Amino acid sequence: MAVPLVPRFLARSRTIAPAGWSRWLIPPAALSIHLAIGQAYAWSVFKPPLEDSLGLSGTASALPFQVAIVMLGLSAAFGGTLVERNGPRWAMFVSAVCFSTGFLISALGAATEQYWLIVLGYGFVGGIGLGIGYISPVSTLIKWFPDRPGMATGIAIMGFGGGALIASPWSAQMLESFGGDPSGIAQTFLVMGLVYAVFMTLGVLLVRVPTQDAAPEQPGAAADRTASGQVSARNAVRTPQFWCLWVVLCLNVTAGIGILEKAAPMITDFFSGTSTPVSAAAAAGFVGALSLANMLGRFVWSSVSDLVGRKNIYRVYLGVGALLYLALATGGDASKPLFIVCAAVILSFYGGGFATVPAYLKDLFGTYQVGAIHGRLLTAWSTAGILGPLIVNAVADSQEASGHSGTDLYTTSFYVMISLLVVGFLANELIRPVHSRFHEPAGGTAIHETGTAPEEAAK
Amino acid sequence: MTESASNTPGTAGGSRRVLLLLGWVWVGAPFAYGLYELALKLKLLLTG
């Protein structure tokens, strides 16, 4: 269906790859979006200066990030179909405009000391940019790399993890230069908004959808794993497979957040009563190691899934993840290297779970509306974002209130995480190929197979 | 790696290679900066 509101330059029909277009130009296009929007995980850098200069509480200063994450889930869930219909260039453009404008509105809010403008700008407007941007390259990458969909989406989603690695030191350095007062914060937001607008433009300009001729040959092994039929987003949410995968993603993410949420105090508490206590600086290094594991897991494990299959790799994430949590709960304080390795591998599974899920969706539902289905599935992330910290903090607080300390603060939540991972493992086992009654009729998916709407192709 | 450049004239193929290089440098340079800053943090884990 042609969408008259979409400018010609952004229309799907204008983004069809010309002959000779290399598919290796698509990952940098995707990365320019994901490396930018991954900044969301570096919001904590702004919390102390905002609290000091605007007199905010810790809860209030977290509000822009929380609103942004809620908007990420909502815009991905509700905007997914639009992204599929209008194409990746339109989606990347919308993402770049919303994300950058969010910073500019926040700059105005900081300059005028109107905090609600920061919540509106960074949280609401920027959050829409996060959601649309997160799903924007997924289906395009899968179509360009039908032989290695896990690796392709792994590269992009690794970028989301890497975005915080860039934004965190960069914004900290700018705040140091401009100052942590409202004027300095405003200047930092302003520079970030402008730089991200330019940086994300590369994705808008570079992204192309493949024509059938330009799409690479599909080796048999990879094609075998592809869904036998194409399923629309509307039908996908009616299948048990979607909801089993929703549970799998939600519980895998919850388990990862269980460690991420309290990484620094956790390692300090675990070794506080031993001969090798952990300093605050080393705890910060531990958080850095977990970031690296999270990021690498996104690329490495999702690439491995192309070889071993999606169901098997989730068996590893959930099954081995549960065993690693058990090792932490029973002997985590016996050895610092053991603790670090177990936590890092769990975090690599957390990242791997995010990065492998688009390829799993493609295997189950085909490429027809995989971006839109992915958007709907991301509500599992929003749920886990609430569930994970809630469990870990509630357990730690209740243990502390009853006079416990050290490892006792965390072992109960570790056992809760093991239970959740076992439930996720069982949900993964229940996933079977989608029944043919949910498949689209033959010929009804032309827009996504060729990158051209039927009526546009006929012109 | 599968490429679809076999039918492309030489000049277009050359400009695509430049585009490919620029695209990866565009995203690779800030990513390398992030990794460098992360390496500084990791050093703290070993020495802190």
Side-chain angles (χ1 to χ4, degrees):
Chain A
M1 186 179 80
V3 182
L5 292 175
V6 176
R8 279 183 64 80
F9 168 69
L10 300 175
R12 175 181 280 275
S13 57
R14 294 290 294 267
T15 58
I16 297 170
W21 195 258
S22 168
R23 64 175 178 167
W24 291 99
L25 283 164
I26 309 304
L31 277 169
S32 74
I33 302 297
H34 271 237
L35 282 172
I37 62 174
Q39 180 281 337
Y41 277 140
W43 172 254
S44 58
V45 174
F46 290 103
K47 278 170 64 72
L50 282 171
E51 287 165 21
D52 294 342
S53 61
L54 299 180
L56 302 171
S57 67
T59 310
S61 67
L63 199 57
F65 172 75
Q66 288 168 333
V67 173
I69 294 298
V70 169
M71 288 311 297
L72 184 157
L74 290 177
S75 56
F78 292 106
T81 311
L82 271 179
V83 171
E84 288 292 341
R85 186 186 301 155
N86 296 341
R89 179 174 286 172
W90 174 87
M92 288 178 175
F93 179 77
V94 170
S95 171
V97 168
C98 289
F99 191 63
S100 306
T101 306
F103 273 108
L104 300 184
I105 295 171
S106 299
L108 181 67
T112 56
E113 300 188 32
Q114 298 289 315
Y115 185 58
W116 67 273
L117 275 174
I118 299 176
V119 178
L120 174 77
Y122 186 89
F124 189 82
V125 180
I128 295 172
L130 293 184
I132 300 295
Y134 193 90
I135 59 173
S136 63
V138 168
S139 65
T140 306
L141 281 165
I142 286 175
K143 284 166 194 160
W144 275 107
F145 291 86
D147 51 333
R148 281 182 276 182
M151 180 211 70
T153 55
I155 291 174
I157 293 173
M158 179 181 73
F160 194 79
L165 297 184
I166 299 166
S168 183
W170 178 43
S171 39
Q173 282 163 9
M174 277 196 289
L175 285 169
E176 207 177 307
S177 305
F178 297 137
D181 57 338
S183 164
I185 298 169
Q187 287 179 68
T188 306
F189 281 148
L190 181 67
V191 171
M192 293 183 88
L194 296 175
V195 170
Y196 279 131
V198 173
F199 187 71
M200 294 168 88
T201 300
L202 178 90
V204 178
L205 296 175
L206 211 54
V207 74
R208 296 287 188 282
V209 292
T211 58
Q212 271 180 329
D213 290 341
E217 293 294 316
Q218 296 185 31
D224 287 344
R225 264 189 235 118
T226 305
S228 54
Q230 304 291 331
V231 182
S232 67
R234 182 189 287 262
N235 273 340
V237 294
R238 294 176 180 150
T239 65
Q241 288 82 356
F242 176 87
W243 293 106
C244 283
L245 200 49
W246 193 96
V247 170
V248 165
L249 182 67
C250 180
L251 299 183
N252 189 54
V253 174
T254 303
I257 289 176
I259 285 190
L260 260 184
E261 173 70 8
K262 291 186 93 71
M266 191 182 284
I267 192 169
T268 310
D269 289 337
F270 255 76
F271 296 97
S272 58
T274 67
S275 57
T276 54
V278 175
S279 67
F286 175 63
V287 175
L290 295 187
S291 302
L292 183 65
N294 175 10
M295 199 178 62
L296 289 179
R298 289 167 191 247
F299 176 67
V300 173
W301 294 123
S302 57
S303 299
V304 171
S305 78
D306 290 333
L307 304 172
V308 302
R310 252 56 79 173
K311 194 165 186 171
N312 284 334
I313 203 75
Y314 274 91
R315 282 177 174 137
V316 173
Y317 298 158
L318 300 156
V320 178
L323 292 174
L324 290 169
Y325 258 117
L326 187 64
L328 284 180
T330 54
D333 57 347
S335 157
K336 209 191 292 180
L338 175 77
F339 181 91
I340 293 167
V341 168
C342 285
V345 176
I346 288 171
L347 258 293
S348 78
F349 290 162
Y350 165 83
F354 274 122
T356 316
V357 92
Y360 209 162
L361 290 171
K362 177 248 184 191
D363 293 352
L364 290 168
F365 303 110
T367 55
Y368 173 41
Q369 290 192 333
V370 67
I373 300 169
H374 186 218
R376 284 157 173 76
L377 195 76
L378 290 181
T379 51
W381 179 8
S382 304
T383 308
I386 298 166
L387 207 60
L390 199 70
I391 293 170
V392 178
N393 289 315
V395 170
D397 289 348
S398 84
Q399 294 288 326
E400 206 166 2
S402 55
H404 291 95
S405 61
T407 57
D408 292 344
L409 295 176
Y410 307 101
T411 42
T412 307
S413 58
F414 284 177
Y415 284 114
V416 172
M417 296 303 167
I418 292 168
S419 313
L420 294 180
L421 286 168
V422 169
V423 173
F425 189 91
L426 294 175
N428 185 46
E429 291 305 309
L430 292 174
I431 295 174
R432 299 278 183 274
V434 175
H435 194 280
S436 58
R437 73 173 184 276
F438 295 108
H439 293 170
E440 289 297 298
T445 61
I447 184 171
H448 301 283
E449 294 304 312
T450 63
T452 317
E455 60 266 43
E456 289 170 359
K459 286 174 187 169
Chain B
M1 181 175 97
T2 311
E3 298 290 349
S4 48
S6 53
N7 298 326
T8 312
T11 49
S15 66
R16 294 263 159 75
R17 273 193 289 277
V18 172
L19 197 59
L20 197 62
L21 181 71
L22 282 176
W24 280 102
V25 169
W26 185 267
V27 294
F31 194 54
Y33 161 74
L35 284 178
Y36 168 73
E37 292 288 339
L38 178 67
L40 296 180
K41 265 191 181 177
L42 286 177
K43 214 168 106 182
L44 294 172
L45 178 62
L46 303 172
T47 58

